[in-house]
Amino acid sequence: MAMQWAEEQTEARGIMLLANNVTKTFMSNKKEITALDRVHLYINQGEFISLLGPSGCGKSTFLRLVAGLDSMTSGSLELNGAPIVGAGRDRGVVFQQYSLLPWMHAWENVAFALKKTKGLSSAQKKKTAYHFLELVGLKGFERHYPAQMSGGMQQRVAIARALVYRPKLLLMDEPFGALDAQTRRDMQDLLLRIWEEEKCGVLFVTHDVDEAIYLSDRVYVMSAHPGRVAKEISIQMNKSRDWNDMLTDDFVHYKREIVSELERQKALKKLAANG
Ligand code: ADP
Ligand code: MG
């Protein structure tokens, strides 16, 4: 039944990522923790999807499974019809911490990701790194060390590094969470520009409601303990891609819908705890 559903969906819509009944449990102090409980979701080709939910609802766990950095307990996870078995160049990952190598210049940090790419000379790797640094707005900073750059600039380098082998799917785990508000807005716009240019799919993890609505085609709202998809919301509004978007009736409508779902989840948790 589930398999048939999966096949139908893949054929019908050009699905890129399909998660079917994904469950992940951890053992912690001899207790079993269900981080993800039968998560069911999909990402269409080139779609921008956010995974939104409170801390501890399993967002990072899910992203790590898609990245191939961890394995699930049960369920299936397919990228373009093939099961995900490990990390691969069809996916690029950006974490909240920039995790750049401090002894390398910006361009070397980016080129480093091409280390294992065959058939590219060092000169070509350098050229590619410079190209992606320009794409993220860092032209002229190629020879700066991470310590010489602001948080926003370091995150730009990390994005360039994730893009350098042209992944089909970009995975981002609260990538702007450590940035100040203004830088965060700039980075969101930068991300949208890159997304339009690269035409990749994006799985974006956040706990920020505004950010999810502003960026996404669809939002999956998650609930915690165990982590489940509580609601799927398609964001259908005209976006001018500037911050006036956040003042429109449509935006407020979606925000109300999402916030009330999060509140509902909280109330259910409380009830369960008291009962
Ligand atoms: P989020 O990213 O939404 O904040 P996580 O995916 O990090 O949530 O965590 C989901 C749940 O799984 C939490 O209860 C967390 O404590 C637990 N968890 C995550 N990673 C591990 C691990 N390696 N070992 C044990 N428990 C874990
Ligand atoms: Mg997390």
Side-chain angles (χ1 to χ4, degrees):
M1 175 67 197
M3 269 317 290
Q4 197 186 341
W5 178 87
E7 277 166 24
E8 280 168 13
Q9 294 292 314
T10 311
E11 278 170 27
R13 308 215 223 171
I15 283 187
M16 164 180 264
L17 181 85
L18 185 61
N20 210 344
N21 274 322
V22 171
T23 294
K24 173 70 179 174
T25 58
F26 290 107
M27 285 306 285
S28 182
N29 296 327
K30 294 187 181 155
K31 262 184 63 189
E32 194 179 78
I33 297 171
T34 305
L36 295 170
D37 184 27
R38 289 162 292 165
V39 169
H40 217 56
L41 62 82
Y42 66 91
I43 302 180
N44 288 318
Q45 304 290 341
E47 204 179 18
F48 199 123
I49 294 297
S50 283
L51 217 52
L52 175 79
S55 176
C57 72
K59 303 183 295 296
S60 295
T61 301
F62 185 78
L63 186 128
R64 287 176 54 78
L65 293 179
V66 177
L69 300 172
D70 204 350
S71 52
M72 65 198 145
T73 308
S74 63
S76 80
L77 204 45
E78 288 183 356
L79 187 62
N80 291 319
I84 290 175
V85 284
R89 295 178 155 234
D90 44 8
R91 286 147 288 157
V93 191
V94 181
F95 295 105
Q96 181 171 344
Q97 292 310 324
Y98 329 123
S99 55
L100 303 177
L101 299 170
W103 61 88
M104 287 187 180
H105 287 137
W107 80 266
E108 292 168 313
N109 265 286
V110 177
F112 189 67
L114 294 170
K115 190 171 48 140
K116 291 190 189 137
T117 308
K118 295 192 179 71
L120 271 187
S121 67
S122 337
Q124 284 168 319
K125 287 179 187 174
K126 184 169 181 176
K127 200 174 156 210
T128 309
Y130 270 60
H131 166 78
F132 279 96
L133 285 172
E134 184 172 355
L135 182 72
V136 298
L138 286 181
K139 194 173 166 61
F141 294 92
E142 297 89 350
R143 297 179 68 81
H144 280 53
Y145 287 105
Q148 298 173 305
M149 293 186 283
S150 67
M153 290 165 80
Q154 291 185 54
Q155 196 59 312
R156 284 170 196 249
V157 178
I159 293 171
R161 182 182 55 189
L163 290 171
V164 77
Y165 39 80
R166 302 215 109 103
K168 295 187 202 88
L169 182 60
L170 188 58
L171 307 170
M172 307 183 93
D173 193 354
E174 311 213 25
F176 309 143
L179 305 176
D180 64 84
Q182 185 55 50
T183 307
R184 189 171 184 144
R185 289 178 180 199
D186 293 344
M187 293 296 286
Q188 289 165 350
D189 288 335
L190 172 81
L191 175 59
L192 289 175
R193 196 163 57 65
I194 290 172
W195 172 60
E196 272 156 20
E197 202 147 317
E198 292 292 305
K199 301 187 171 27
C200 52
V202 182
L203 176 61
F204 189 93
V205 161
T206 182
H207 59 251
D208 185 309
V209 178
D210 289 340
E211 183 169 70
I213 302 171
Y214 184 64
L215 295 175
S216 315
D217 294 320
R218 269 185 309 122
V219 178
Y220 285 103
V221 183
M222 294 187 66
S223 64
H225 308 293
R228 286 187 181 140
V229 171
K231 196 164 194 176
E232 176 197 342
I233 295 169
S234 187
I235 308 293
Q236 291 172 348
M237 51 185 249
N238 290 325
K239 291 180 180 175
S240 52
R241 300 295 191 201
D242 68 42
W243 282 76
N244 289 319
D245 282 349
M246 301 189 70
L247 305 171
T248 63
D249 290 347
D250 280 346
F251 196 98
V252 174
H253 159 82
Y254 287 121
K255 188 163 178 175
R256 197 171 279 138
E257 188 174 350
I258 291 173
V259 170
S260 75
E261 177 59 33
L262 292 169
E263 288 300 319
R264 199 175 73 88
Q265 294 300 334
K266 244 194 260 173
L268 285 172
K269 287 281 114 73
K270 224 184 213 163
L271 260 178
N274 294 339

